[in-house]
Amino acid sequence: MSLPPLTRASALRGGLVVAVGAVAGFTVARLGGLGTTEEPGAANAYGTAPSDGRRLAALDEVPADGGLVLVDEGVVLVRGSGEEVWGFSAICTHQGCPVSEVTGGRILCPCHGSAFDALTGEVVAGPAPTPLEPVEVEVRDDEVVTA
């Protein structure tokens, strides 16, 4: 049994099907959690760290007016001039890279240059499309723990 010869028209149709499928797949993967009541899935590394009261760092390990990235925990801790500490997901919302540092009031992602406001997690420089997810933390006995 022999196959019919490949024509220009059939090659173009095949390419169009592949392109449409790629765009649809990207869109579904990128926007998969919209319109549902479920939390974003861990498969794409988005989402928040679990809140179980576990120790993240000693308060003095988080620099005043700076922050500490805990890649293994998936959390970035930010501290003002006092003892108040905020937590955010350490995973950039652009393509799931871990953020690398907190400097100049910004949380920075080294992969594609996204920057987030250190106190709110809001995007201040793209390509990240959404803010960093907040992680509830609290200070107990000079220790920063998940709330």
Side-chain angles (χ1 to χ4, degrees), residues 18-145:
V18 169
V20 169
V23 170
F26 174 81
T27 303
V28 168
R30 188 77 172 124
L31 304 175
L34 295 178
T36 68
T37 57
E38 298 175 16
E39 290 291 318
N44 62 6
Y46 297 144
T48 60
S51 297
D52 58 9
R54 75 183 182 288
R55 180 191 184 277
L56 296 171
L59 180 61
D60 62 5
E61 292 177 310
V62 184
D65 294 317
L68 177 66
V69 178
L70 303 170
V71 175
D72 290 343
E73 297 290 337
V75 176
V76 58
L77 301 174
V78 179
R79 181 175 171 189
S81 59
E83 294 188 356
E84 190 170 6
V85 177
W86 298 266
F88 300 97
S89 169
I91 304 302
C92 180
T93 58
H94 176 232
Q95 288 189 342
C97 292
V99 298
S100 61
E101 65 180 310
V102 180
T103 185
R106 292 181 170 197
I107 300 169
L108 305 177
C109 179
C111 294
H112 301 104
S114 291
F116 304 88
D117 183 279
L119 297 180
T120 65
E122 293 292 322
V123 177
V124 294
T130 57
L132 294 174
E133 289 287 328
V135 174
E136 291 188 38
V137 298
E138 58 187 43
V139 178
R140 289 188 213 151
D141 301 320
D142 292 325
E143 299 283 321
V144 182
V145 299

